[in-house]
């Protein structure tokens, strides 16, 4: 199981500083959608340059124009880029092909997909599938990772990621579902105790 540190709503320098502080407790580094939207591919390039040995995930959440967006991410140094599961099949297929051209990987964000769509995606694509409670669902609807459920109909060999307001409390429950990646942002980056929080999470996933 890997911890992916999601870096959102901060500057590139703050993102690098944050990731350096907790580097030993995290496995993958996500250049959050907010960083990509605010700073563009410079954010991905800077994080890869600062952490050449970590898996860098560009959370670009592609919906269209897949080849262009995925090429940008991989040329900037991303190892994984994200596409929305509700995107057209042509888009997802293009993401898969572009990633294959670069020897990189795709994460499909299942936000707002139906169980049937998630099943089809898991059977069709060799990608990481991310079960996700969105920031707006967390903030406006009060949902949290206790609402995260990994659909039972997914292909048994699919690699699963889980994201959305994960805390050390909800992580303990989540690890029993054995996801390949747990994506943690605010619980590490928006607390005064980032290092302790990351350390605790690492201990939880180690069991
Ligand atoms: O993908 C994310 C979200 O849509 C904001 O862009 C975050 O990476 C994900 O939610 C993890 O962050 P937290 O919810 O703060 O743990």
């Amino acid at each position: 199981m890997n911890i992916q540190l999601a870096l959102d709503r901060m500057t590139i320098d703050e993102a690098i500083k944050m990731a350096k502080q907790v580097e030993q407790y995290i496995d993958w580094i996500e250049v959050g959608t907010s960083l990509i939207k605010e700073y563009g591919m410079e954010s991905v390039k800077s994080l890869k340059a600062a952490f050449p040995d970590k898996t860098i995930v560009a959370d670009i959440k592609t919906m269209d124009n897949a080849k262009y967006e995925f090429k940008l991410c991989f040329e900037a140094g991303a190892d994984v880029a994200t596409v929305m599961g509700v995107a057209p099949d042509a888009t997802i297929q293009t993401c898969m092909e572009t990633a294959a051209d670069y020897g990189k990987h795709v994460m499909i964000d299942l936000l707002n997909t139906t169980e049937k769509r998630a099943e089809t995606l898991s059977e069709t694509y060799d990608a990481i599938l991310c079960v996700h409670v969105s920031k707006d669902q967390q903030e406006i609807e009060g949902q949290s990772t206790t609402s995260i459920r990994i659909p039972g109909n997914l292909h048994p060999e699919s690699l699963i990621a889980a994201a959305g307001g994960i805390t050390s409390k909800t992580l303990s429950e989540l690890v029993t579902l054995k996801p390949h990646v747990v994506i943690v942002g605010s619980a590490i980056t928006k607390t005064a105790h980032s290092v302790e929080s990351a350390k605790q999470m690492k201990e939880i996933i180690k069991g």
Side-chain angles (χ1 to χ4, degrees):
M1 202 177 302
N2 298 289
I3 295 184
Q4 176 175 318
L5 177 69
L7 298 163
D8 273 300
R9 299 172 293 281
M10 60 183 79
T11 65
I12 296 174
D13 285 349
E14 286 166 347
I16 292 172
K17 201 171 158 200
M18 172 54 61
K20 287 270 180 215
Q21 280 183 58
V22 299
E23 187 174 1
Q24 62 177 307
Y25 304 118
I26 58 161
D27 306 289
W28 294 10
I29 294 176
E30 171 188 318
V31 186
T33 315
S34 58
L35 253 74
I36 293 178
K37 288 194 174 181
E38 200 168 349
Y39 304 104
M41 285 303 122
E42 202 48 45
S43 59
V44 180
K45 278 186 200 148
S46 302
L47 266 301
K48 188 61 187 180
F51 302 95
D53 300 328
K54 292 278 189 205
T55 296
I56 301 292
V57 180
D59 191 17
I60 193 160
K61 292 189 172 77
T62 290
M63 267 302 284
D64 190 14
N65 213 5
K67 191 167 188 175
Y68 183 81
E69 291 192 1
F70 265 45
K71 277 180 84 167
L72 280 181
C73 293
F74 296 138
E75 295 282 343
D79 302 290
V80 182
T82 65
V83 58
M84 301 310 292
V86 292
D89 290 333
T91 300
I92 297 181
Q93 183 58 40
T94 304
C95 290
M96 296 301 302
E97 288 167 8
T98 309
D101 287 347
Y102 282 85
K104 305 290 185 180
H105 301 281
V106 176
M107 184 181 286
I108 303 178
D109 189 324
L110 297 180
L111 199 60
N112 235 24
T113 56
T114 61
E115 288 209 358
K116 180 69 200 144
R117 175 72 176 155
E119 181 180 22
T120 304
L121 291 168
S122 78
E123 282 170 358
T124 313
Y125 301 110
D126 183 13
I128 303 161
L129 300 176
C130 179
V131 184
H132 189 182
V133 177
S134 76
K135 197 47 79 187
D136 291 337
Q137 286 170 309
Q138 293 172 44
E139 290 178 355
I140 298 165
E141 297 174 8
Q143 293 189 36
S144 71
T145 41
T146 48
S147 3
I148 286 187
R149 209 175 58 77
I150 297 176
N153 57 354
L154 299 183
H155 191 283
E157 285 172 21
S158 288
L159 295 180
I160 305 298
I166 295 174
T167 63
S168 49
K169 277 191 193 127
T170 54
L171 184 60
S172 306
E173 191 182 330
L174 197 56
V175 290
T176 62
L177 305 175
K178 296 190 171 46
H180 183 62
V181 191
V182 287
I183 302 174
V184 183
S186 312
I188 294 176
T189 64
K190 308 296 180 190
T191 162
H193 312 287
S194 302
V195 177
E196 292 78 359
S197 177
K199 185 173 181 223
Q200 191 184 6
M201 291 199 171
K202 189 69 181 176
E203 277 161 10
I204 292 170
I205 69 160
K206 280 202 293 198

